[in-house]
Amino acid sequence: NAGVTQTPKFRILKIGQSMTLQCTQDMNHNYMYWYRQDPGMGLKLIYYSVGAGITDKGEVPNGYNVSRSTTEDFPLRLELAAPSQTSVYFCASSYQTGMGHIQPLHFGNGTRLTVT
Amino acid sequence: AQKVTQAQTEISVVEKEDVTLDCVYETRDTTYYLFWYKQPPSGELVFLIRRNSFDEQNEISGRYSWNFQKSTSSFNFTITASQVVDSAVYFCALSEAQMDSSYKLIFGSGTRLLVRP
């Protein structure tokens, strides 16, 4: 199992450009998440999904879009990149058992994005 | 809304000292889960422990131990006989239930631990 795979690892964008951060998982998890981690800070939830076709906003969704057309993939789209979006982006996946027990998040290795 | 507070921004200890990382949370949920994650200098996020709100037993795993107290809404993490390899940022996280029975995880701001030789 590869777990959670994020691409690219690094990217530099100019202000106003757009890009898609890719995230795929091979564990058949229904939950997927996007977090951002600003330098020296904690993790802020951008968007999450509880299954294919279902997405919801987190704490800091402005400037981002997501889609979840399959269980495996959860891409994060940045439109009109701004310097404030310079951050490390982490994708994660998880699941909830039939009894409702929440399982730990499995994280990808992150995408370091710089907007200049 | 749910909230996780890690008041200690940075802690510096000398190797072999014991160190406790504090985590205080606020929740309106009756059933919830708490987690600790480690982020070493290499940057990945490593799961350490999960605890649900029904289980107040303390847990020990090698040099790591966790103290969960619902009465004080705390889930503290102790490293005994710290080692240089324990140097990392440690995050506490709390589940937040949604109206549709789904959940999301809210993270604290992290505590940076530096263990000096």
Side-chain angles (χ1 to χ4, degrees):
Chain A
N1 279 357
V4 178
T5 303
Q6 291 184 237
T7 56
K9 286 185 170 51
F10 304 93
R11 184 71 186 268
I12 299 175
L13 280 183
K14 293 190 185 311
I15 295 171
Q17 286 185 322
S18 60
M19 77 163 293
T20 298
L21 280 66
Q22 302 292 345
C23 176
T24 188
Q25 53 95 5
D26 62 359
M27 297 172 283
N28 202 34
H29 288 172
N30 55 328
Y31 283 83
M32 293 189 77
Y33 304 82
W34 276 106
Y35 288 89
R36 59 176 285 174
Q37 184 180 25
D38 297 335
M41 304 292 284
L43 296 160
K44 297 288 187 186
L45 182 63
I46 306 172
Y47 272 95
Y48 69 106
S49 167
V50 302
I54 306 170
T55 62
D56 213 339
K57 295 178 181 178
E59 305 163 84
V60 290
N62 292 345
Y64 307 95
N65 280 301
V66 293
S67 60
R68 182 97 182 269
S69 55
T70 66
T71 298
E72 294 79 19
D73 300 307
F74 191 40
L76 178 71
R77 177 86 179 159
L78 278 72
E79 306 281 3
L80 298 174
S84 61
Q85 293 178 305
T86 293
S87 192
V88 179
Y89 292 83
F90 287 99
C91 179
S93 73
S94 182
Y95 69 101
Q96 198 167 7
T97 68
M99 296 291 290
H101 297 302
I102 296 170
Q103 301 305 304
L105 268 59
H106 294 253
F107 282 90
N109 288 331
T111 294
R112 186 175 298 273
L113 176 68
T114 302
V115 182
T116 62
Chain B
Q2 267 56 339
K3 187 177 178 183
V4 177
T5 301
Q6 295 182 257
Q8 304 151 308
T9 306
E10 286 194 21
I11 301 175
S12 181
V13 299
V14 176
E15 205 170 20
K16 297 184 184 172
E17 281 186 32
D18 298 347
V19 57
T20 295
L21 310 182
D22 297 332
C23 174
V24 174
Y25 62 92
E26 296 174 29
T27 182
R28 61 178 180 272
D29 297 340
T30 52
T31 300
Y32 53 90
Y33 288 76
L34 292 157
F35 301 81
W36 276 94
Y37 280 83
K38 174 182 179 180
Q39 187 176 42
S42 50
E44 73 271 23
L45 286 148
V46 179
F47 164 70
L48 295 177
I49 191 171
R50 179 195 65 171
R51 173 67 73 228
N52 72 48
S53 52
F54 292 104
D55 183 1
E56 286 197 69
Q57 276 193 334
N58 291 337
E59 176 141 350
I60 299 175
S61 175
R63 294 184 298 107
Y64 295 171
S65 62
W66 290 268
N67 180 255
F68 175 37
Q69 291 197 337
K70 284 180 78 171
S71 60
T72 55
S73 297
S74 64
F75 186 40
N76 297 336
F77 172 31
T78 297
I79 302 175
T80 302
S82 59
Q83 299 176 1
V84 172
V85 293
D86 296 326
S87 296
V89 180
Y90 291 87
F91 292 100
C92 181
L94 168 69
S95 66
E96 179 180 300
Q98 307 303 298
M99 295 286 288
D100 61 356
S101 300
S102 69
Y103 68 91
K104 55 186 181 184
L105 242 62
I106 304 299
F107 281 77
S109 55
T111 297
R112 182 176 300 276
L113 174 65
L114 175 63
V115 182
R116 308 188 309 277

